[in-house]
Amino acid sequence: MPASRTRVLEFPVDVNTALEASRHAVAAVIEGTPRVNGRTVTGSVRTSWASWGENLTLTVSDVANGSRITVRSASKMPTQFLDWGKHRKNLNRLQHELETAAHAHAAVIDPG
């Protein structure tokens, strides 16, 4: 299992809507408040039986038909090499939350 996993999604919404959807998605997955820096939203998932926690990063960019959101889940501990499917679960949950917040289904560019 990888120490991180990335998925690229496209939505037919403007960048501001995608950024707000990203903030809502991260808030739904983490405990605490997401951090927003420009077009990047970050947050951390707590330690569980499956991992020492994960750092989530969502980056929003413009594309011709709307917005692209690059979603990344990475292990907090750089030495962790087995995630028990935690990164994929994080990406699936974030994608679901993004689709709900953006009121649109994502075109998955890179399934990660």
Side-chain angles (χ1 to χ4, degrees):
M1 303 278 173
S4 70
R5 190 173 289 273
T6 302
R7 186 174 296 171
V8 180
L9 309 166
E10 287 190 0
F11 290 90
V13 298
D14 64 89
V15 170
N16 290 329
T17 301
L19 188 58
E20 187 62 19
S22 296
R23 191 182 66 72
H24 282 289
V26 172
V29 174
I30 69 169
E31 289 186 20
T33 305
R35 294 173 300 282
V36 180
N37 184 7
R39 291 186 177 181
T40 301
V41 180
T42 59
S44 295
V45 178
R46 298 179 95 178
T47 301
S48 70
W49 70 268
S51 79
W52 291 103
E54 300 84 39
N55 293 317
L56 306 176
T57 305
L58 284 71
T59 305
V60 179
S61 57
D62 289 311
V63 293
N65 298 339
S67 301
R68 176 175 289 156
I69 303 175
T70 303
V71 183
R72 184 168 191 263
S73 175
S75 299
K76 283 184 183 178
M77 297 256 318
T79 57
Q80 182 175 338
F81 64 92
L82 187 63
D83 74 343
W84 302 98
K86 190 73 169 107
H87 294 307
R88 183 169 301 196
K89 289 176 188 173
N90 287 339
L91 295 182
N92 289 344
R93 180 143 184 233
L94 286 167
Q95 181 176 343
H96 171 75
E97 295 294 338
L98 285 166
E99 288 173 345
T100 301
H103 304 295
H105 285 287
V108 180
I109 306 306
D110 180 1

